[in-house]
Amino acid sequence: GQNIDQPTEMTATEGAIVQINCTYQTSGFNGLFWYQQHAGEAPTFLSYNVLDGLEEKGRFSSFLSRSKGYSYLLLKELQMKDSASYLCAVRNSGGYQKVTFGTGTKLQVIP
Amino acid sequence: EPEVTQTPSHQVTQMGQEVILRCVPISNHLYFYWYRQILGQKVEFLVSFYNNEISEKSEIFDDQFSVERPDGSNFTLKIRSTKLEDSAMYFCASIGQGGYTEAFFGQGTRLTVV
């Protein structure tokens, strides 16, 4: 089975940097996704890590350590529109590539 | 940019009625999924579909649920006799072949059972 843990809520200030952590336990691992989800909308893709290390994409970076079962999403220069839920999701290494989501971290950006 | 499309965007139905939620995945994708998200809760896996059959399903996906890919393009989720607790957002997703591919999500169908 899989177990994915994230903090439930976080608050950060506009212009600051915030790090959202995710730990996972899985019987087979084939990558970790980060998605952003605004209320009432579908998740939108942010990043995908399958190898250890940091992937940078503009204001967003994602880090993975497979040996520790750990990832984080780093958001820089926070903007008010970054207020959303951030979902960590793990992809199985099995034939059917199932993606399992964590509970999500609700980020509130304040002025 | 390719996208997954879902219809309808919002469906209201009476308890006990059957509903069919429709999805058109990205055309060359191989793996198809349904997820649901009850308001304020996490995105929950329902079922995965590969090679024209169910490959995995969760405990939520009981006998009231079924999926079909009737014509090679549409991917449907049927709920035979809806219950109040089936009210949720239902998301369809697809993944292509290859290692470095994201799961593409449709915009969701908001199902309200009254």
Side-chain angles (χ1 to χ4, degrees), chain A residues 35 37 42 48 91 96-97 99, chain B residues 33 35 37 56 100-101 103 106:
Chain A
Y35 284 86
Q37 187 180 32
Y48 179 50
R91 179 172 172 178
Y96 307 120
Q97 306 290 315
V99 177
Chain B
Y33 310 86
Y35 290 84
Q37 188 175 33
E56 189 171 352
Y100 199 93
T101 52

Side-chain angles (χ1 to χ4, degrees), chain B residues 13-74:
Chain B
T13 188
Q14 287 197 322
M15 190 169 56
Q17 294 296 304
E18 174 183 287
V19 295
I20 297 176
L21 310 183
R22 302 181 191 278
C23 169
V24 178
I26 294 170
S27 61
N28 61 349
H29 280 190
L30 300 177
Y31 308 94
F32 312 109
Y33 310 86
W34 283 101
Y35 290 84
R36 82 169 184 190
Q37 188 175 33
I38 295 170
L39 185 64
Q41 297 186 23
K42 66 182 285 188
V43 176
E44 300 175 290
F45 170 78
L46 291 178
V47 66
S48 59
F49 194 85
Y50 172 74
N51 201 25
N52 289 319
E53 60 183 18
I54 290 174
S55 49
E56 189 171 352
K57 58 184 180 180
S58 70
E59 292 176 354
I60 303 167
F61 196 89
D62 61 22
D63 292 344
Q64 294 298 313
F65 291 87
S66 62
V67 289
E68 211 176 32
R69 190 159 156 80
D71 55 13
S73 61
N74 291 287

Side-chain angles (χ1 to χ4, degrees), chain A residues 64-75:
Chain A
L64 175 68
S65 169
R66 289 172 294 171
S67 62
K68 295 181 180 177
Y70 168 68
S71 174
Y72 67 73
L73 179 70
L74 195 70
L75 292 77

Side-chain angles (χ1 to χ4, degrees), chain A:
Chain A
Q2 289 178 318
N3 192 35
I4 303 170
D5 290 312
Q6 310 177 231
T8 305
E9 294 181 347
M10 298 182 72
T11 301
T13 306
E14 191 177 13
I17 298 173
V18 70
Q19 177 174 314
I20 303 174
N21 296 323
C22 172
T23 58
Y24 63 89
Q25 293 154 349
T26 181
S27 54
F29 178 81
N30 192 27
L32 186 144
F33 296 96
W34 283 97
Y35 284 86
Q36 180 190 61
Q37 187 180 32
H38 285 99
E41 297 181 10
T44 56
F45 172 77
L46 291 178
S47 67
Y48 179 50
N49 295 68
V50 65
L51 300 176
D52 291 349
L54 188 68
E55 295 275 345
E56 296 186 77
K57 192 184 290 186
R59 295 190 298 116
F60 293 73
S61 303
S62 57
F63 172 83
L64 175 68
S65 169
R66 289 172 294 171
S67 62
K68 295 181 180 177
Y70 168 68
S71 174
Y72 67 73
L73 179 70
L74 195 70
L75 292 77
K76 303 175 187 174
E77 301 170 14
L78 279 173
Q79 302 174 8
M80 299 300 291
K81 67 178 183 180
D82 296 329
S83 293
S85 289
Y86 291 85
L87 315 181
C88 173
V90 172
R91 179 172 172 178
N92 271 0
S93 59
Y96 307 120
Q97 306 290 315
K98 187 177 90 172
V99 177
T100 302
F101 286 83
T103 54
T105 299
K106 188 172 182 180
L107 174 67
Q108 183 181 15
V109 180
I110 58 177

Side-chain angles (χ1 to χ4, degrees), chain B residues 52-111:
Chain B
N52 289 319
E53 60 183 18
I54 290 174
S55 49
E56 189 171 352
K57 58 184 180 180
S58 70
E59 292 176 354
I60 303 167
F61 196 89
D62 61 22
D63 292 344
Q64 294 298 313
F65 291 87
S66 62
V67 289
E68 211 176 32
R69 190 159 156 80
D71 55 13
S73 61
N74 291 287
F75 180 49
T76 62
L77 175 69
K78 182 192 290 186
I79 309 174
R80 289 192 184 83
S81 179
T82 50
K83 303 186 283 285
L84 294 177
E85 53 265 38
D86 293 327
S87 294
M89 283 286 283
Y90 288 81
F91 295 107
C92 172
S94 69
I95 292 180
Q97 198 168 17
Y100 199 93
T101 52
E102 64 184 272
F104 287 80
F105 281 84
Q107 290 305 303
T109 294
R110 182 178 298 283
L111 177 65

